[in-house]
Each structure stands twice: as structure tokens, then as C-alpha cells.
Amino acid sequence: MGYKTQKNKNHPVIAVMLWVCFLTAVAVVTYLSFQDGEESKSLGMHLIQYVADQKYPEQNASQVQMDSLIYQIRQFGRKGMFFVIGILGTMAIHFSFKKCNWVIKTGITAVILVAIAFLTERMKEFIPSRHYSYEEMMVSIVAVILGFALVSVITLILHTLRGVFRQRAATTHS
């Protein structure tokens, strides 16, 4: 009994940590998404220059190569961040609301994550020197759903296995 009480005391701390990580990731993506286009370009230029020097060590990268590299890095970053947001958001909700129906909390999670991916791209219409891109929005949505699906499937499998083992234990002790 004492172990169970100690175990339950740790849940809120872990849940808060997951929410802080999730909200921080969303804040970072929002900050990067809502920047002026020129600020956005200058923010990552040091990283891009470093990668360019590694990729093209014998020569200075041409403008076409730099533009391609910038695009690749931004797309990789977009996919990675939205994948992480999908994982963290799903974990935070599943961990915080363990007693809620799995289908309901999973559905709500999917709606929230897709809304974040949609809005961070759609709101670019209102930012100077930025543009809305349907393709980039879809990349963000797919990445967030992949993170969401990974955690959701794992929690469903664990929930199902836990039910099977509890049922076996109940029939064994009967």
C-alpha cells in the first residue's frame, strides 16, 4: 500500500514535466513560425553556414546549393519539431488523464495537435514577408500525427496487455 501511495505522488510531477516540455516545444515552434521572414532567415544562418561548410568543404557553396540546404534544414526541423510536439502532447494528455476513456482523450489529443500544426502555418498569412503554404502545413500535420500515433498505439497496447494480465490474475485467484 505504501508503494502505491509513493508511486501516485510521482505522477503529478511527471505530468507537469511533460506539460512544460510540450508547451515549451509549442512556444518554440510558434516563435519561429511567427517571426518576420528576414528575422527567421538570419536566426538560422550560423547553423546553415556550418552545415554548408561541412557538406561542401572544398568549395564555397553556390547560392543554389545554399538555397537547397536552407530548404532541407527547415523541412527537417519542421518535421522533427512537430513529431516531438506530437509525442510530448500525446504523452502529457495520456499521462495526465489516465482515468479518462482512451478513445475520448485520444480524439481530443488529435484535434489539439492538428490545430496547432494548422494554425502555426495558417497564421503566416498575417506576418510580413512570410507566406502560407498548404504543403508545409500538411508536412506539419503528418509529422504531428506520426508522433501522436506512435504514443497512442503504444498506450493502447499497454492498456490492452494490462487488461489481459489483470483478467488472467483474476481467473487464477478465483
Side-chain angles (χ1 to χ4, degrees):
M1 182 97 161
Y3 170 73
K4 198 167 195 154
T5 305
Q6 180 66 25
K7 184 177 173 188
N8 287 338
K9 286 183 180 181
N10 292 331
H11 290 316
V13 173
I14 294 170
V16 167
M17 288 173 36
L18 285 169
W19 280 105
V20 167
C21 291
F22 168 65
L23 294 174
T24 300
V26 170
V28 167
V29 166
T30 302
Y31 173 75
L32 293 173
S33 294
F34 293 171
Q35 281 185 323
D36 175 279
E38 296 306 314
E39 289 178 30
S40 178
K41 286 180 185 174
S42 67
L43 181 67
M45 215 31 138
H46 294 295
L47 171 66
I48 292 167
Q49 190 61 50
Y50 173 77
V51 173
D53 291 342
Q54 300 302 311
K55 190 168 183 173
Y56 309 107
E58 66 282 341
Q59 65 194 28
N60 288 334
S62 70
Q63 189 58 45
V64 173
Q65 290 171 322
M66 284 298 287
D67 289 344
S68 173
L69 194 57
I70 289 168
Y71 179 78
Q72 290 171 7
I73 289 172
R74 285 178 173 238
Q75 290 305 311
F76 178 76
R78 172 189 318 283
K79 292 171 191 171
M81 281 304 292
F82 278 102
F83 183 70
V84 167
I85 286 172
I87 290 171
L88 290 173
T90 308
M91 286 176 64
I93 289 174
H94 278 280
F95 205 86
S96 298
F97 303 103
K98 285 186 175 215
K99 293 185 180 185
C100 289
N101 181 296
W102 184 89
V103 173
I104 292 171
K105 68 183 168 186
T106 301
I108 291 170
T109 304
V111 169
I112 291 169
L113 293 173
V114 169
I116 291 168
F118 173 79
L119 289 172
T120 54
E121 185 62 35
R122 193 65 186 190
M123 297 306 292
K124 289 181 183 176
E125 289 181 346
F126 306 106
I127 301 166
S129 68
R130 295 299 293 262
H131 67 282
Y132 163 74
S133 169
Y134 176 79
E135 291 80 18
E136 290 181 6
M137 180 189 66
M138 292 310 294
V139 166
S140 300
I141 289 173
V142 167
V144 82
I145 291 300
L146 286 173
F148 156 81
L150 176 69
V151 175
S152 294
V153 168
I154 289 171
T155 59
L156 179 62
I157 290 170
L158 292 175
H159 180 72
T160 303
L161 288 175
R162 190 176 308 135
V164 167
F165 288 127
R166 282 184 183 163
Q167 187 177 19
R168 280 191 174 177
T171 57
T172 302
H173 292 305
S174 296

